[in-house]
Amino acid sequence: MAVTLVNPTGLPEVPVYRQVSISTGPKLVFVAGQVAWDADGVTVGEGDLAAQVERCYLNIATALAGAGGSFADVAKLTVYVVDWTPDKMPLLLEGVARAAAKLGVTPVPPASLLGVAALDVPEHLVEIEATAVLD
């Protein structure tokens, strides 16, 4: 694998991601922000943050597979959530857990979570982009 995930001494351990990713591969893959669309462009889980997060992760996995990679190659995730408040964290984590179970992975690369006013269409509650490094 081209990406090693670590929690350096002196930084807090956060169970849902690692603080640092170290990449060694020659091929960078940038996955556009994924929203809760199915293959036909229909929004999945309208009004359901957990369902939309799950779908975003599944879409990222599909995009990575198209580039010859997987979640094991992800060096960084950026998550954008509409009208973010900390009380939404359990729903976000539920969506991640459901996707991880379906994909058989533990997606814990470094991540940034940003609250935003809106996304591309009103029914989208979350958008997630990924950067991966492949051997």
Side-chain angles (χ1 to χ4, degrees), residues 99-106:
K102 283 185 178 178
L103 297 168
V105 300
T106 305

Side-chain angles (χ1 to χ4, degrees), residues 16-98:
V16 296
Y17 67 89
R18 301 299 176 261
Q19 295 285 1
V20 175
S21 66
I22 303 163
S23 62
T24 57
K27 182 177 180 182
L28 289 175
V29 177
F30 299 93
V31 178
Q34 295 298 302
V35 294
W37 278 331
D38 65 13
D40 296 318
V42 175
T43 299
V44 174
E46 192 166 337
D48 183 343
L49 180 60
Q52 289 198 17
V53 168
E54 176 184 4
R55 186 60 196 213
C56 290
Y57 271 77
L58 296 176
N59 288 350
I60 289 169
T62 300
L64 291 168
S70 71
F71 258 99
D73 302 305
V74 173
K76 175 79 167 68
L77 293 173
T78 304
V79 180
Y80 304 90
V81 181
V82 174
D83 296 326
W84 174 258
T85 55
D87 63 308
K88 293 180 180 179
M89 185 61 83
L91 291 171
L92 187 137
L93 295 176
E94 177 186 335
V96 172
R98 290 182 351 202

Side-chain angles (χ1 to χ4, degrees), residues 1 4 10-11 16-17 33-34 41-42 49 54 62 68 85 95 108-110 113 116 119 129 132 134:
M1 276 183 270
T4 302
L11 293 177
V16 296
Y17 67 89
Q34 295 298 302
V42 175
L49 180 60
E54 176 184 4
T62 300
T85 55
V108 293
L113 172 61
V116 297
L119 292 170
E129 62 186 23
L134 281 63

